[in-house]
Amino acid sequence: MAASVGLIPAVAQAAPGTPGAAGPHGVSAPDVDLNKVAASNFTTVKSPAERTVHTPSAAKGNGKAGASAQAEGSAAAEPTVGLTAKGTSARGISLDLAVVSDPGTALSVNVAWGDGTSVTFGANGPTNSTEAHSYPEIGSYTIKVTLSDGSGVRGVNELSVVTPGSDFTPYAPTRLLDTRDGTGTTKGKVAPYATTRVKISGNGAIPAGVTAVVLNVTATNTTSGGHVTVFPEGSDRPTTSNVNFSAGQTVPNLVIVPVNKNGYVDLYNGGWEPVDLIADITGYFTRTSSSGYTPLNPTRFLDTREGQGQLAGQGTTGVQITGRNGIPYDATAVALNVTVTNPREDGHLTVYPSGGAAPTTSNLNFRGGQTIANSVIVPVGSDGSIKIRNGAWKGADVIVDVVGYYSKDSQGAYLPFLPERLLDTRDPADWPYGQLEGQGYIYMPLSSSRPQNTAYVLNTTVTNTRGDGYLTVSPDPNSLYAYDNGWDTWPTPPNSSNLNWKRGDTVPNLVQAGMGNNGIVDFWNRGWDNIDLVVDIFGVYQTN
């Protein structure tokens, strides 16, 4: 994301029961400068001109070598090149070259990018040039710039660069923090308006250099309403939230959060009373080639209400992932939205790779009779399947929607951002149309002009809910041109849900929103009553 991106939410609403009666479109919102948000990913590195190495065969000033413009018998200054590189996208590098040589000296400048490719251009005297390159894989590379003339090599300078994006490595679900028993911290609740930190890099088998981490964060033993914000230790705490809870609730939410250079993230209790916090890891991102991400249109892989019957208490069911709906057999992990409904008592679900015992972690906590969803990123077992365990003593229905997968051949590399708010229907200055009506949708052109941005990591929150319902996030089949010119058609939302709510609830959930063919994502209120919707952005997957 080298340039700022104009994010322009627009609304399409219909009265309940009358889909197609679209309301206002093309409503502009303030542009969000993602370049500023992601600035920490795009570090600048330099190798100054004085580091240019000259070879013994370089011209010695005999007035002939290299056909230089030096005077007969005088010594020519050896040419130098200064290098400055900056990341421009997940795999992209912009290289500034400052060649210094005597006027009239004709040089050939060869830039070897370190991946087996190169580019060559001419320089006649002092020359400044900017070259752009996109690497095929995430990782570290050494750029070698060679200055040559007719006599041979005149000078060489080198510069090491690291691509800004990160690849994903699955990690067996593991508990890193539990304030109830002192796992990863001092035992005891987190005080109101206080933070506790979680060690990521170097914790267990997690390596150093982690750029972002996938955590399932749970707030429990709550005695008042509040929220949890997760952010890199040492950075300014964002105004966004990751988990919202009420008194007596146990609420989980998936979080993909940047990790600071020391390897820690902070969890902030924004409630009025102390709260217990739990954090379970299922994967991490590093600037080393591993698994990229491929988004999919949300697809239902399991619904126990359709023939299978409820998942029994203390029971486990398997879900085949690879080889279905375009997911390759070498997929390393899968991104899901998991929903529990009709549970006969309180309990939790644990999602884990097949081939091993169920871990002590949880992905979804529920109350008897509750319908609740949570995003899950889980490694895929060696047989291409995952397992789901019902930790309650009585049965519950389970729904699994797949939204994407990770594999070595997938090209989507991740750029984490500090959170930025894209939409808040409660704020008239940001959104003049009020609540999102029942059965209506908001379309958001996130990447209509940037096809390299294939998916965004968002946190969606519904609040001020006037009735029961659920939210569906999916790619829009219309183009922005169609919306701008009134040629759009009313989309059909998929048979999937991203979060569920009861009247009066405030519910968040992480969404890995694929952009489809048009770079537009829809946020559907599938209930019949109005809601407020808040959308925060946490990162982007890019293919170059």
mmCIF file of all heavy atoms in Angstrom, residues 364-389:
data_model
loop_
_atom_site.group_PDB
_atom_site.id
_atom_site.type_symbol
_atom_site.label_atom_id
_atom_site.label_comp_id
_atom_site.label_asym_id
_atom_site.label_seq_id
_atom_site.Cartn_x
_atom_site.Cartn_y
_atom_site.Cartn_z
ATOM 1 N N LEU A 364 -14.660 -20.588 20.957
ATOM 2 C CA LEU A 364 -16.013 -20.030 21.009
ATOM 3 C C LEU A 364 -16.637 -20.425 22.330
ATOM 4 O O LEU A 364 -16.627 -21.603 22.695
ATOM 5 C CB LEU A 364 -16.821 -20.591 19.832
ATOM 6 C CG LEU A 364 -18.170 -19.988 19.502
ATOM 7 C CD1 LEU A 364 -18.012 -18.526 19.125
ATOM 8 C CD2 LEU A 364 -18.801 -20.739 18.337
ATOM 9 N N ASN A 365 -17.136 -19.455 23.073
ATOM 10 C CA ASN A 365 -17.826 -19.713 24.331
ATOM 11 C C ASN A 365 -19.289 -19.341 24.174
ATOM 12 O O ASN A 365 -19.615 -18.325 23.553
ATOM 13 C CB ASN A 365 -17.194 -18.900 25.465
ATOM 14 C CG ASN A 365 -15.745 -19.278 25.704
ATOM 15 O OD1 ASN A 365 -14.869 -18.939 24.927
ATOM 16 N ND2 ASN A 365 -15.485 -19.988 26.795
ATOM 17 N N PHE A 366 -20.189 -20.136 24.721
ATOM 18 C CA PHE A 366 -21.616 -19.897 24.511
ATOM 19 C C PHE A 366 -22.419 -20.193 25.772
ATOM 20 O O PHE A 366 -21.980 -20.929 26.660
ATOM 21 C CB PHE A 366 -22.135 -20.741 23.341
ATOM 22 C CG PHE A 366 -21.830 -22.215 23.436
ATOM 23 C CD1 PHE A 366 -22.644 -23.078 24.168
ATOM 24 C CD2 PHE A 366 -20.721 -22.751 22.786
ATOM 25 C CE1 PHE A 366 -22.364 -24.427 24.252
ATOM 26 C CE2 PHE A 366 -20.428 -24.103 22.861
ATOM 27 C CZ PHE A 366 -21.243 -24.950 23.597
ATOM 28 N N ARG A 367 -23.589 -19.597 25.816
ATOM 29 C CA ARG A 367 -24.555 -19.863 26.866
ATOM 30 C C ARG A 367 -25.673 -20.739 26.308
ATOM 31 O O ARG A 367 -25.896 -20.781 25.092
ATOM 32 C CB ARG A 367 -25.147 -18.557 27.410
ATOM 33 C CG ARG A 367 -24.123 -17.602 27.989
ATOM 34 C CD ARG A 367 -24.799 -16.397 28.654
ATOM 35 N NE ARG A 367 -25.667 -15.689 27.724
ATOM 36 C CZ ARG A 367 -25.278 -14.702 26.938
ATOM 37 N NH1 ARG A 367 -24.005 -14.314 26.936
ATOM 38 N NH2 ARG A 367 -26.129 -14.090 26.129
ATOM 39 N N GLY A 368 -26.375 -21.411 27.165
ATOM 40 C CA GLY A 368 -27.489 -22.236 26.725
ATOM 41 C C GLY A 368 -28.486 -21.415 25.920
ATOM 42 O O GLY A 368 -28.903 -20.336 26.345
ATOM 43 N N GLY A 369 -28.859 -21.902 24.732
ATOM 44 C CA GLY A 369 -29.825 -21.219 23.881
ATOM 45 C C GLY A 369 -29.255 -20.098 23.035
ATOM 46 O O GLY A 369 -29.969 -19.516 22.215
ATOM 47 N N GLN A 370 -27.974 -19.780 23.184
ATOM 48 C CA GLN A 370 -27.367 -18.650 22.476
ATOM 49 C C GLN A 370 -26.919 -19.049 21.072
ATOM 50 O O GLN A 370 -26.494 -20.176 20.835
ATOM 51 C CB GLN A 370 -26.171 -18.128 23.263
ATOM 52 C CG GLN A 370 -25.515 -16.881 22.683
ATOM 53 C CD GLN A 370 -24.303 -16.438 23.488
ATOM 54 O OE1 GLN A 370 -23.648 -17.231 24.158
ATOM 55 N NE2 GLN A 370 -23.993 -15.152 23.429
ATOM 56 N N THR A 371 -27.010 -18.100 20.126
ATOM 57 C CA THR A 371 -26.383 -18.239 18.813
ATOM 58 C C THR A 371 -25.244 -17.233 18.750
ATOM 59 O O THR A 371 -25.461 -16.032 18.904
ATOM 60 C CB THR A 371 -27.379 -17.964 17.676
ATOM 61 O OG1 THR A 371 -28.417 -18.943 17.716
ATOM 62 C CG2 THR A 371 -26.689 -18.018 16.321
ATOM 63 N N ILE A 372 -24.024 -17.726 18.536
ATOM 64 C CA ILE A 372 -22.857 -16.857 18.564
ATOM 65 C C ILE A 372 -21.825 -17.377 17.570
ATOM 66 O O ILE A 372 -21.717 -18.588 17.351
ATOM 67 C CB ILE A 372 -22.261 -16.780 19.991
ATOM 68 C CG1 ILE A 372 -21.146 -15.727 20.059
ATOM 69 C CG2 ILE A 372 -21.791 -18.136 20.476
ATOM 70 C CD1 ILE A 372 -20.684 -15.433 21.478
ATOM 71 N N ALA A 373 -21.085 -16.462 16.953
ATOM 72 C CA ALA A 373 -20.074 -16.824 15.954
ATOM 73 C C ALA A 373 -18.724 -16.239 16.346
ATOM 74 O O ALA A 373 -18.637 -15.264 17.083
ATOM 75 C CB ALA A 373 -20.484 -16.310 14.573
ATOM 76 N N ASN A 374 -17.658 -16.844 15.808
ATOM 77 C CA ASN A 374 -16.318 -16.303 15.988
ATOM 78 C C ASN A 374 -15.449 -16.736 14.817
ATOM 79 O O ASN A 374 -15.612 -17.829 14.269
ATOM 80 C CB ASN A 374 -15.685 -16.787 17.292
ATOM 81 C CG ASN A 374 -14.487 -15.945 17.697
ATOM 82 O OD1 ASN A 374 -14.365 -14.782 17.300
ATOM 83 N ND2 ASN A 374 -13.589 -16.525 18.488
ATOM 84 N N SER A 375 -14.535 -15.851 14.418
ATOM 85 C CA SER A 375 -13.571 -16.204 13.384
ATOM 86 C C SER A 375 -12.513 -17.131 13.968
ATOM 87 O O SER A 375 -12.131 -17.015 15.134
ATOM 88 C CB SER A 375 -12.908 -14.943 12.826
ATOM 89 O OG SER A 375 -13.820 -14.179 12.071
ATOM 90 N N VAL A 376 -12.032 -18.028 13.128
ATOM 91 C CA VAL A 376 -11.029 -19.005 13.546
ATOM 92 C C VAL A 376 -10.020 -19.164 12.411
ATOM 93 O O VAL A 376 -10.407 -19.290 11.240
ATOM 94 C CB VAL A 376 -11.674 -20.377 13.860
ATOM 95 C CG1 VAL A 376 -10.593 -21.410 14.170
ATOM 96 C CG2 VAL A 376 -12.660 -20.269 15.013
ATOM 97 N N ILE A 377 -8.734 -19.134 12.725
ATOM 98 C CA ILE A 377 -7.680 -19.557 11.808
ATOM 99 C C ILE A 377 -7.012 -20.754 12.458
ATOM 100 O O ILE A 377 -6.492 -20.661 13.570
ATOM 101 C CB ILE A 377 -6.670 -18.432 11.537
ATOM 102 C CG1 ILE A 377 -7.366 -17.240 10.859
ATOM 103 C CG2 ILE A 377 -5.527 -18.937 10.671
ATOM 104 C CD1 ILE A 377 -6.457 -16.041 10.657
ATOM 105 N N VAL A 378 -7.037 -21.899 11.769
ATOM 106 C CA VAL A 378 -6.573 -23.137 12.388
ATOM 107 C C VAL A 378 -5.701 -23.911 11.401
ATOM 108 O O VAL A 378 -5.994 -23.956 10.204
ATOM 109 C CB VAL A 378 -7.772 -23.995 12.863
ATOM 110 C CG1 VAL A 378 -8.670 -24.379 11.698
ATOM 111 C CG2 VAL A 378 -7.319 -25.222 13.624
ATOM 112 N N PRO A 379 -4.602 -24.507 11.879
ATOM 113 C CA PRO A 379 -3.824 -25.378 10.995
ATOM 114 C C PRO A 379 -4.657 -26.556 10.510
ATOM 115 O O PRO A 379 -5.576 -27.026 11.197
ATOM 116 C CB PRO A 379 -2.674 -25.850 11.901
ATOM 117 C CG PRO A 379 -2.597 -24.849 13.006
ATOM 118 C CD PRO A 379 -4.003 -24.376 13.224
ATOM 119 N N VAL A 380 -4.337 -27.050 9.314
ATOM 120 C CA VAL A 380 -5.004 -28.216 8.746
ATOM 121 C C VAL A 380 -4.162 -29.442 9.047
ATOM 122 O O VAL A 380 -2.924 -29.416 8.918
ATOM 123 C CB VAL A 380 -5.195 -28.043 7.229
ATOM 124 C CG1 VAL A 380 -5.800 -29.290 6.611
ATOM 125 C CG2 VAL A 380 -6.075 -26.835 6.947
ATOM 126 N N GLY A 381 -4.811 -30.527 9.461
ATOM 127 C CA GLY A 381 -4.083 -31.751 9.765
ATOM 128 C C GLY A 381 -3.473 -32.384 8.533
ATOM 129 O O GLY A 381 -3.768 -32.008 7.391
ATOM 130 N N SER A 382 -2.623 -33.388 8.740
ATOM 131 C CA SER A 382 -1.937 -34.032 7.622
ATOM 132 C C SER A 382 -2.889 -34.712 6.658
ATOM 133 O O SER A 382 -2.549 -34.918 5.485
ATOM 134 C CB SER A 382 -0.920 -35.048 8.166
ATOM 135 O OG SER A 382 -1.575 -36.028 8.964
ATOM 136 N N ASP A 383 -4.089 -35.061 7.132
ATOM 137 C CA ASP A 383 -5.082 -35.668 6.251
ATOM 138 C C ASP A 383 -5.994 -34.635 5.603
ATOM 139 O O ASP A 383 -6.982 -34.985 4.944
ATOM 140 C CB ASP A 383 -5.918 -36.697 7.017
ATOM 141 C CG ASP A 383 -6.733 -36.073 8.147
ATOM 142 O OD1 ASP A 383 -6.549 -34.854 8.420
ATOM 143 O OD2 ASP A 383 -7.543 -36.785 8.771
ATOM 144 N N GLY A 384 -5.684 -33.332 5.798
ATOM 145 C CA GLY A 384 -6.461 -32.271 5.171
ATOM 146 C C GLY A 384 -7.742 -31.916 5.885
ATOM 147 O O GLY A 384 -8.606 -31.253 5.304
ATOM 148 N N SER A 385 -7.872 -32.296 7.154
ATOM 149 C CA SER A 385 -9.119 -32.022 7.879
ATOM 150 C C SER A 385 -8.836 -31.332 9.206
ATOM 151 O O SER A 385 -7.688 -31.231 9.651
ATOM 152 C CB SER A 385 -9.903 -33.317 8.123
ATOM 153 O OG SER A 385 -9.224 -34.150 9.049
ATOM 154 N N ILE A 386 -9.892 -30.844 9.815
ATOM 155 C CA ILE A 386 -9.834 -30.244 11.142
ATOM 156 C C ILE A 386 -10.846 -30.949 12.036
ATOM 157 O O ILE A 386 -11.734 -31.670 11.551
ATOM 158 C CB ILE A 386 -10.141 -28.731 11.109
ATOM 159 C CG1 ILE A 386 -11.561 -28.477 10.579
ATOM 160 C CG2 ILE A 386 -9.098 -27.992 10.280
ATOM 161 C CD1 ILE A 386 -12.017 -27.043 10.691
ATOM 162 N N LYS A 387 -10.717 -30.747 13.333
ATOM 163 C CA LYS A 387 -11.644 -31.320 14.299
ATOM 164 C C LYS A 387 -12.323 -30.200 15.094
ATOM 165 O O LYS A 387 -11.730 -29.142 15.332
ATOM 166 C CB LYS A 387 -10.910 -32.247 15.271
ATOM 167 C CG LYS A 387 -10.237 -33.449 14.628
ATOM 168 C CD LYS A 387 -11.250 -34.483 14.185
ATOM 169 C CE LYS A 387 -10.556 -35.752 13.715
ATOM 170 N NZ LYS A 387 -11.518 -36.774 13.261
ATOM 171 N N ILE A 388 -13.551 -30.442 15.495
ATOM 172 C CA ILE A 388 -14.298 -29.505 16.347
ATOM 173 C C ILE A 388 -14.830 -30.291 17.534
ATOM 174 O O ILE A 388 -15.528 -31.307 17.362
ATOM 175 C CB ILE A 388 -15.452 -28.848 15.583
ATOM 176 C CG1 ILE A 388 -14.913 -28.110 14.350
ATOM 177 C CG2 ILE A 388 -16.218 -27.888 16.490
ATOM 178 C CD1 ILE A 388 -15.996 -27.542 13.467
ATOM 179 N N ARG A 389 -14.513 -29.825 18.729
ATOM 180 C CA ARG A 389 -14.944 -30.501 19.944
ATOM 181 C C ARG A 389 -15.928 -29.620 20.706
ATOM 182 O O ARG A 389 -15.690 -28.423 20.900
ATOM 183 C CB ARG A 389 -13.756 -30.833 20.840
ATOM 184 C CG ARG A 389 -14.147 -31.563 22.123
ATOM 185 C CD ARG A 389 -12.932 -31.914 22.977
ATOM 186 N NE ARG A 389 -13.324 -32.656 24.163
ATOM 187 C CZ ARG A 389 -13.705 -32.100 25.316
ATOM 188 N NH1 ARG A 389 -13.728 -30.770 25.424
ATOM 189 N NH2 ARG A 389 -14.054 -32.843 26.346
#
